[in-house]
Amino acid sequence: MRIQGALALAAATAALTAGLATTPAAADTSNPTPSGEISAAAWTPTTTLTYAPIRECYKAACDVVIETNVGETVYWSHYARNEYGNLWYYVKYTAGNGYPKTFYGWVYCGNVTAPC
């Protein structure tokens, strides 16, 4: 009886381990990435070229978190393409005098100096 229990436990553990194993995803070569790609752990400065709304998600229809002006510095950590193929950067932006606050969100690549 102990052997059957041990075998059942070993089989369940092996099945669970096999189910949790992941295979690496294939690289998406359909959309070229901008030069200077860095890890998401680093923040790279870029400057806004136009009025640049920072949004909650990477679509123009998403709500605005905060609005920036031309020439503002924002820092991006990573990027994504939406279903239309538009490149958006995930940014942080600090605003406010005396009591600055940091905002996070998505900005369209055409609104900043980072590669589009």
Side-chain angles (χ1 to χ4, degrees), residues 38-77:
I38 60 168
S39 73
W43 291 97
T44 302
T46 187
T47 305
T48 57
L49 294 171
T50 64
Y51 156 80
I54 297 173
R55 299 184 180 275
E56 289 182 349
C57 69
Y58 45 95
K59 292 182 184 179
C62 295
D63 289 337
V64 174
V65 174
I66 191 168
E67 300 170 357
T68 66
N69 293 313
V70 176
E72 299 281 344
T73 299
V74 297
Y75 296 85
W76 66 273
S77 67

Side-chain angles (χ1 to χ4, degrees), residues 43 75-80 88-92 104-107:
W43 291 97
Y75 296 85
W76 66 273
S77 67
H78 57 281
Y79 55 87
W88 291 72
Y89 286 98
Y90 185 75
V91 298
K92 70 177 179 177
Y104 296 88
W106 295 90
V107 66

Side-chain angles (χ1 to χ4, degrees), residues 91-104:
V91 298
K92 70 177 179 177
Y93 171 67
T94 303
N97 292 330
Y99 299 100
K101 182 176 178 185
T102 301
F103 298 88
Y104 296 88

